[in-house]
Amino acid sequence: MKVRPFQHPSLSQSGPTVVMILEHSKPVDSLQKRGIRLATVPQVRGLPMSQDAKYNSHSKLNCVIGCLQAEQAGADEGLMLDPHGFVNTTNACNFFIVRKGEVWTSTGDYCMNGVTRQNIINLCRDNGIPVYEKNFSLVEAYGADEAFLTGTFGAQTPVSEIDGKPIGENGGRGPVLEKLQKLYADLVARNTR
Ligand SMILES: Cc1ncc(COP(=O)(O)O)c(C=O)c1O
């Protein structure tokens, strides 16, 4: 509750309003088969001195605009670039590609460094799968053998197309994603006994 409608926190008369939404939802199974369709959106992930994208803050406007732009382009989710034009992340998940057996994701400088993103990187390292956090271009993403999103809710979801271009031979899926999904399921089972 604010005494006047301006930004300074000293104008707040009481503490934050905490809202908890308790719901049980399950990822849509069909997305594992059909895969997610991404569209590159004009909205980019910004520099940390405007808003550090590493914070999972309540200020989601940047992601929401990216999400709406993807919807207008007829896609399920927006693929966002960084300020230099390298592929960064999607509006709600972290993004990975597989090329010639190597797993690539962005440097992590302009995206939320999600828990699932880090678990996948760790699983690759622990299981001899080459993994790189690096800059890569949209053309390299279009030409990937496999591509997938990570997030706590959906775990790993294949990306079947980007900007209308099909990914790989099998809707974004392939042997590396399959192996990582098994390793991740084992990790979850070990930690939820
Ligand atoms: C912008 C963004 N990127 C990525 C993620 C995935 O993070 P995690 O793997 O921790 O669920 C989230 C989830 O909240 C997110 O909001």
Side-chain angles (χ1 to χ4, degrees), residues 126-162:
D126 294 347
N127 291 278
I129 301 170
V131 60
Y132 300 96
E133 292 174 87
K134 58 178 277 178
N135 287 323
F136 59 93
S137 71
L138 204 45
V139 173
E140 289 171 305
Y142 291 152
D145 304 316
E146 303 171 42
F148 59 93
L149 306 185
T150 63
T152 306
F153 180 61
Q156 298 79 39
T157 313
V159 171
S160 53
E161 60 176 64
I162 305 173

Side-chain angles (χ1 to χ4, degrees), residues 74-110:
D76 303 311
E77 197 156 318
L79 183 59
M80 302 176 80
L81 307 182
D82 73 18
H84 310 287
F86 295 112
V87 173
N88 190 250
T89 193
T90 74
N91 60 270
C93 293
N94 292 123
F95 177 70
F96 287 76
I97 61 173
V98 180
R99 287 176 61 96
K100 298 192 171 76
E102 292 179 356
V103 175
W104 295 4
T105 193
S106 67
T107 59
D109 289 340
Y110 303 99

Side-chain angles (χ1 to χ4, degrees), residues 6-191:
F6 305 124
Q7 292 177 4
H8 201 282
S10 66
L11 299 170
S12 299
Q13 278 190 326
S14 55
T17 306
V18 179
V19 179
M20 293 176 74
I21 303 172
L22 300 181
E23 64 159 345
H24 179 72
S25 39
K26 284 180 75 180
V28 185
D29 284 341
S30 60
L31 277 185
Q32 281 300 326
K33 271 205 186 129
R34 167 168 81 71
I36 294 266
R37 293 162 308 182
L38 296 181
T40 320
V41 291
Q43 192 73 11
V44 298
R45 287 306 173 117
L47 292 162
M49 68 276 218
S50 57
Q51 185 184 345
D52 193 342
K54 288 203 189 81
Y55 294 141
N56 198 9
S57 77
H58 284 187
S59 303
K60 287 282 184 191
L61 183 59
N62 192 43
C63 303
V64 172
I65 293 172
C67 174
L68 292 175
Q69 290 170 337
E71 190 180 40
Q72 283 186 337
D76 303 311
E77 197 156 318
L79 183 59
M80 302 176 80
L81 307 182
D82 73 18
H84 310 287
F86 295 112
V87 173
N88 190 250
T89 193
T90 74
N91 60 270
C93 293
N94 292 123
F95 177 70
F96 287 76
I97 61 173
V98 180
R99 287 176 61 96
K100 298 192 171 76
E102 292 179 356
V103 175
W104 295 4
T105 193
S106 67
T107 59
D109 289 340
Y110 303 99
C111 65
M112 237 274 287
N113 288 201
V115 176
T116 323
R117 174 186 190 273
Q118 193 58 52
N119 277 328
I120 286 295
I121 293 170
N122 294 347
L123 284 171
C124 287
R125 288 186 182 141
D126 294 347
N127 291 278
I129 301 170
V131 60
Y132 300 96
E133 292 174 87
K134 58 178 277 178
N135 287 323
F136 59 93
S137 71
L138 204 45
V139 173
E140 289 171 305
Y142 291 152
D145 304 316
E146 303 171 42
F148 59 93
L149 306 185
T150 63
T152 306
F153 180 61
Q156 298 79 39
T157 313
V159 171
S160 53
E161 60 176 64
I162 305 173
D163 297 334
K165 300 174 199 344
I167 301 301
E169 312 266 289
N170 198 17
R173 283 173 284 123
V176 177
L177 175 57
E178 202 175 313
K179 183 166 182 189
L180 284 171
Q181 284 180 316
K182 281 201 187 108
L183 290 168
Y184 185 79
D186 290 348
L187 179 73
V188 171
R190 280 201 305 279
N191 284 280

